[in-house]
Amino acid sequence: PEKMDLPPRPQLFDFHGVSMTHYFTDNWENVQNFQARPDDILIATYPKAGTTWVSYILDLLYFGQMAPEHQTSIPIYERVPFLELSESIGNSGTELANNLPTSPRLIKTHLPVQLVPKSFWEQNCRMVYVARNAKDNMVSFFHFDRMDMSEPEPGDWNNFFQRFLDGKMVFGSWYDHVNGWWKKKQTYSKLHYMFYEDLIEDTGREIDKLCCFLGLSPSAEEKKQITGGVQFDNMKNNSMANYSTVPFMDFKISPFMRKGKVGDWKKHFTVAQNEEFDEDYKKKMKDPTLQFRTEI
Ligand code: A3P
């Protein structure tokens, strides 16, 4: 794609207690007042937890048969608008969502649960949350911030590691994010909480669970097609799914579809960092019902 010159990398600032950059707060008025529809499906994640993967699965489940040309001509970030993205880097998420020709609308957000616009709760919308173990999530986020010029300067790995533990990342603390959404699940029944590691382990099984939650019953043939289409290599080679059409991402630094693995953190964490991480993790993750796998 044609390169796009963005202003210097944005600074983080505190926004209602969550670290943010202006790219996700400039359109806040419209985000907050967004009118959800009862059949909207919100895909919520902490950045780099598998958002695109699950977005593509849902897109294929709903529109793969009905509008196959849709997947080959429109990039995933337009098929599944990013709610809080402001117009400074393209169309705003709210505008894209309001202009979507298809329904149900699939809408992506990285907002922590307490910042989700109230209309989604009032309309009792279905929500799919994807969580990924903190270690791999951190590594993926680091490489993403290196290549995405709309992200804050990542600094070196050691510095990034500390910032992640301190929750000074865009969309705030991973720990608060995954816990906040997990807690919500106890009181909001239309929330399906899933894990990246489970998807890696058995994509078909996780698609079955999703279908059960969404009330969908694809044919065996259709399911096979979807499971195949969303495998890492297929998505990596799919220009409508791999973000290669985004002008401010530098794939020479790191591709968006980077590795797609569980356990890549082992190549990044030093022994000392791993100890520090585990120590800190125990203090922050007190709920025994929320368990992550850092290897499978
Ligand atoms: P890595 O950087 O570890 O490779 P998000 O979509 O939330 O930004 O998450 C991006 C991460 O999900 C990247 O992780 C990317 O490679 C991974 N990913 C995307 N599609 C995938 C797939 N089909 N299978 C496995 N991992 C996938």
Side-chain angles (χ1 to χ4, degrees):
E2 201 128 318
K3 281 283 156 237
M4 178 174 171
D5 282 327
L6 288 186
R9 283 175 177 262
Q11 298 290 321
L12 284 174
F13 56 86
D14 181 274
F15 185 72
H16 303 289
V18 178
S19 293
M20 282 291 218
T21 65
H22 74 92
Y23 289 121
F24 308 110
T25 61
D26 283 348
N27 193 35
W28 196 248
E29 183 89 4
N30 290 328
V31 171
Q32 216 175 9
N33 296 321
F34 184 76
Q35 290 303 303
R37 299 179 196 152
D39 63 344
D40 284 347
I41 299 169
L42 191 66
I43 301 167
T45 59
Y46 190 71
K48 312 319 290 176
T51 331
T52 316
W53 197 2
V54 169
S55 298
Y56 194 34
I57 292 172
L58 285 185
D59 186 55
L60 285 172
L61 279 171
Y62 279 102
F63 308 114
Q65 302 293 308
M66 200 174 85
E69 71 285 355
H70 176 99
Q71 279 92 19
T72 50
S73 59
I74 312 171
I76 189 76
Y77 50 84
E78 285 177 23
R79 304 201 300 270
V80 183
F82 184 1
L83 181 67
E84 58 273 19
L85 185 64
S86 67
E87 59 278 2
S88 27
I89 353 184
N91 294 315
S92 71
T94 54
E95 198 177 297
L96 279 174
N98 286 327
N99 291 329
L100 273 181
T102 41
S103 69
R105 299 188 296 187
L106 306 174
I107 300 174
K108 154 185 162 178
T109 186
H110 289 317
L111 292 172
V113 72
Q114 73 277 14
L115 294 183
V116 170
K118 67 173 187 312
S119 177
F120 285 99
W121 309 111
E122 289 168 354
Q123 298 295 333
N124 205 24
C125 295
R126 286 200 179 86
M127 303 185 188
V128 175
Y129 186 80
V130 193
R132 186 179 192 181
N133 84 77
K135 293 179 182 180
D136 284 323
N137 205 140
M138 185 197 304
V139 168
S140 183
F141 212 161
F142 175 63
H143 291 291
F144 180 68
D145 282 5
R146 290 171 56 232
M147 63 83 95
D148 185 320
M149 303 306 147
S150 71
E151 282 287 294
E153 192 62 60
D156 67 13
W157 166 250
N158 294 334
N159 181 278
F160 192 89
F161 175 90
Q162 289 303 333
R163 264 181 51 217
F164 187 94
L165 266 56
D166 293 342
K168 295 278 183 285
M169 312 292 296
V170 188
F171 297 102
S173 149
W174 176 92
Y175 309 87
D176 293 347
H177 210 282
V178 299
N179 277 308
W181 279 93
W182 183 255
K183 246 184 124 204
K184 191 74 187 182
K185 200 174 84 86
Q186 323 308 318
T187 56
Y188 189 76
S189 63
K190 289 217 176 163
L191 171 57
H192 181 66
Y193 199 107
M194 50 196 299
F195 296 92
Y196 180 92
E197 294 73 26
D198 292 347
L199 263 167
I200 291 277
E201 186 177 65
D202 191 338
T203 311
R205 179 193 64 205
E206 294 306 308
I207 293 179
D208 286 342
K209 287 197 222 160
L210 258 174
C211 288
C212 189
F213 170 69
L214 299 166
L216 299 174
S217 32
S219 68
E221 180 54 32
E222 194 185 338
K223 230 200 75 187
K224 206 174 114 200
Q225 247 179 25
I226 297 177
T227 312
V230 304
Q231 287 311 304
F232 182 75
D233 290 334
N234 288 336
M235 282 185 65
K236 189 179 170 80
N237 293 323
N238 177 344
S239 65
M240 292 297 120
N242 66 14
Y243 276 76
S244 57
T245 46
V246 177
F248 49 83
M249 291 182 180
D250 190 343
F251 279 44
K252 289 201 290 297
I253 299 178
S254 180
F256 185 92
M257 297 289 167
R258 193 184 57 91
K259 288 212 170 151
K261 293 230 149 49
V262 179
D264 187 47
W265 62 271
K266 291 175 189 167
K267 298 206 174 77
H268 292 75
F269 280 48
T270 65
V271 172
Q273 280 174 336
N274 197 35
E275 283 168 7
E276 183 185 346
F277 179 96
D278 289 346
E279 194 63 32
D280 177 71
Y281 191 85
K282 276 189 233 132
K283 292 186 198 133
K284 288 175 177 150
M285 302 294 284
K286 295 278 192 208
D287 183 347
T289 65
L290 180 55
Q291 295 288 340
F292 286 88
R293 294 189 287 170
T294 55
E295 50 197 328
I296 54 174

